[in-house]
Amino acid sequence: MAERAKYLHSEEIYRAEAEALIEGREPGDVQFDEESGEGDTLAVERERDLALSAQARVAVDQIDAALDRIAAGTYGICTVSGLRIPQERLRAIPWAAERVEYKVGSLQRR
């Protein structure tokens, strides 16, 4: 629950930072010419903050799914293979839903 709260807080902070970058600006306030580069910098910073907010939200969703698996009595069982997830993995990532070999496989398919 502490990890969930931490990620939820991070999501809110990053989203607020992204919104603050555009808050109070008029469309003509930012220069997009080659000399200033301000428009590019603001866009990159905002996209970074939104991406970090989204990553934190994914972690919260994964933690919520793990809590649901606890309630259902299926915590520690790989959602892909149905095999037990090793305790070492669950100690490292308590919300892990897949065994390492299946998680690595899904990353390679992307």
Side-chain angles (χ1 to χ4, degrees):
M1 293 308 288
E3 286 293 311
R4 184 185 188 283
K6 181 182 86 172
Y7 282 113
L8 197 55
H9 180 70
S10 292
E11 176 194 15
E12 293 167 359
I13 294 295
Y14 287 124
R15 183 161 304 283
E17 287 176 5
E19 296 305 318
L21 288 171
I22 60 168
E23 196 171 276
R25 293 194 178 269
E26 297 295 325
D29 286 350
V30 179
Q31 285 183 287
F32 288 96
D33 58 19
E34 291 178 16
E35 292 176 17
S36 107
E38 185 179 346
D40 289 342
T41 302
L42 286 175
V44 168
E45 287 179 18
R46 184 166 189 272
E47 287 302 314
R48 182 206 62 205
D49 288 342
L50 289 173
L52 291 170
S53 176
Q55 286 176 342
R57 170 43 60 186
V58 167
V60 169
D61 291 345
Q62 290 173 341
I63 292 168
D64 287 344
L67 293 170
D68 290 345
R69 289 191 302 276
I70 289 171
T74 59
Y75 178 77
I77 308 271
C78 177
T79 58
V80 176
S81 69
L83 300 172
R84 286 220 158 274
I85 298 171
Q87 289 298 313
E88 298 81 29
R89 176 156 171 75
L90 292 174
R91 275 194 283 282
I93 306 170
W95 52 88
E98 302 169 326
R99 293 171 58 93
V100 171
E101 58 268 27
Y102 294 100
K103 184 65 173 179
V104 171
S106 70
L107 292 175
Q108 291 173 349
R109 287 190 294 269
R110 290 183 187 175

